[in-house]
Amino acid sequence: FANMCTLNQLRLERGLNTLVLRPHCGEAGSIQHLVAGFLLSENISHGLLLRKAPVLQFLYYLAQ
């Protein structure tokens, strides 16, 4: 994430478009993957596990 922020800053200074982080998370694994995706990315590609975490689902809804 830090490298992507640095790269985006460099691209912005040169007048280029920036990159967006959209991880593939939420299909399997723990809920912490979705929490990290919420904190560090623009959006996620999936999110089937959001149904198991209503509070996190509401945060994604508010941030859309």
Side-chain angles (χ1 to χ4, degrees):
F1 180 75
N3 290 338
M4 192 164 195
C5 288
T6 304
L7 178 63
N8 276 340
Q9 183 179 8
L10 179 68
R11 291 179 64 84
L12 216 94
E13 290 170 359
R14 295 183 179 193
L16 301 170
N17 60 342
T18 56
L19 305 172
V20 177
L21 179 63
R22 292 186 184 137
H24 184 92
C25 65
E27 272 190 303
S30 65
I31 297 297
Q32 283 80 10
H33 295 146
L34 288 169
V35 173
F38 179 77
L39 293 173
L40 299 174
S41 63
E42 289 287 320
N43 60 23
I44 57 173
S45 294
H46 292 282
L48 299 174
L49 291 178
L50 281 175
R51 60 185 156 84
K52 294 182 180 180
V55 172
L56 190 57
Q57 183 179 9
F58 187 65
L59 286 174
Y60 271 99
Y61 170 76
L62 290 176
Q64 68 178 336

